[in-house]
Structure formats: structure tokens, C-alpha cells
Amino acid sequence: MKVFIIAAQSSDGFIARSTHELADWTSSEDKKLFVRLTKAAGVMVMGKTTFQTIRRALPGRRTIVYTHHPELITAVGVETTSETPQHLVHRLAAEGVRELAVCGGSAIYTQFMKAGVVDELYLTVEPVVFGSGIPLFSELVPDTLKLLGSEHLSEDVVLNHYTVLHEK
């Protein structure tokens, strides 16, 4: 099963200014890319804080939310979990899932990278500078990336697509 991270970040490397910020600072091109890749994957996973910024299951995608308090997630069509990334990926693969989109936030990106289950990253770089905020990863992750491709989504927005070279 292919597991990929999808994230938009400011030009100085932040995915948000604060934990409760909506992704309204990202471009329409990034939003279209997010819809296309997550619908193609069919299954997306995110943390509770990220989910609280959208508060609903997104159409055409199975939505799984990490939380230790599943009773607080009441949106229709949303599944909750607290299992490790390895167990979730194994369970989904056994169910026949072929792709999983990891959609944030920083702690979830970090958990999946540290678990060694991420195969690729799609990082959109937006033409904004925050100066401070939430980094893509909340702590050091030991993997190295190889750039598969870089493309302009618009004149000012760049998508970098990486594969993860897992440390052996």
C-alpha cells in the first residue's frame, strides 16, 4: 500500500501559523491538488486538531481521525482511531486499501514518518512567509528524501514530489 503525506507550507516552511488556523491561506491550485490526490487515494487520515478545522467527512473519501476521545468526534461518516501508524496501515492494507493520504497536522506527519510507513510526500510551497508557526514535522525524522519532480501549479505556487529513502 502506498502511503503519502500531502501538505501545503509557507515559503519559510510552516504548515500553519497556529493550531486552529484554517487552510484559507493556500491557493486554489493547492486545494484542487488536495482534492485530486485524496480522492484518488480514497482514504485519508488526520489528527483531531486538523479535523476540527474542517469538522466533517469530505465527499468521496473515507476519513479517519486520530483521537484519544472518539466520543468528541460526532461527524457522520468519520472513523476514529488511536492505533499506531503501523497497525493502521497494516489493517487498511488487509482491507484492500491501495493508498492512504496523510493529511496532517505536524504531530501526525511526524508519527507516520517516524513509524517508517510513508512512501512519498507532496509538498506545495505557497508564496507567503509566516515568520513563525507550526512546522511540517514536530521533531527530527531520520529519513532522507529524493525529489521525484517539481512543477509549477501556478506562476507562484510550486509542488515538490518526493520519495522517502528509509534509513536501513
Side-chain angles (χ1 to χ4, degrees):
M1 179 171 73
K2 176 181 163 184
V3 178
F4 65 89
I5 284 175
I6 182 167
Q9 52 186 157
S10 63
S11 291
D12 54 347
F14 298 104
I15 60 171
R17 287 176 271 246
S18 69
T19 56
H20 299 291
E21 178 176 38
L22 300 175
D24 57 1
W25 58 271
T26 65
S27 62
S28 62
E29 293 84 7
D30 175 68
K31 288 174 178 56
K32 289 175 188 168
L33 175 75
F34 180 86
V35 169
R36 180 171 57 85
L37 290 178
T38 58
K39 278 190 172 182
V43 182
M44 52 192 279
V45 63
M46 65 190 71
K48 174 185 57 94
T49 303
T50 298
F51 178 73
Q52 287 173 332
T53 67
I54 59 173
R55 294 195 158 122
R56 62 186 175 91
L58 296 177
R61 288 151 279 191
R62 181 176 171 189
T63 303
I64 302 170
V65 177
Y66 267 87
T67 181
H68 294 292
H69 300 283
E71 70 279 2
L72 299 177
I73 307 293
T74 59
V76 175
V78 175
E79 301 171 40
T80 60
T81 189
S82 60
E83 62 199 308
T84 66
Q86 296 96 324
H87 285 122
L88 177 65
V89 168
H90 180 73
R91 177 172 62 84
L92 293 173
E95 292 175 12
V97 172
R98 298 183 58 158
E99 289 188 49
L100 175 64
V102 182
C103 301
S106 183
I108 298 299
Y109 292 143
T110 302
Q111 286 176 34
F112 274 76
M113 283 294 284
K114 288 185 82 172
V117 297
V118 176
D119 301 301
E120 297 180 8
L121 285 82
Y122 292 89
L123 302 177
T124 302
V125 181
E126 295 284 349
V128 296
V129 176
F130 292 165
S132 65
I134 309 295
L136 181 64
F137 300 110
S138 59
E139 58 185 86
L140 181 65
V141 293
D143 290 317
T144 302
L145 306 178
K146 177 178 172 46
L147 184 66
L148 294 176
S150 186
E151 68 178 279
H152 282 271
L153 299 181
S154 72
E155 185 177 335
D156 299 320
V157 178
V158 176
L159 169 65
N160 292 316
H161 180 199
Y162 298 93
T163 189
V164 178
L165 303 174
H166 297 286
E167 299 288 322
K168 299 277 186 227

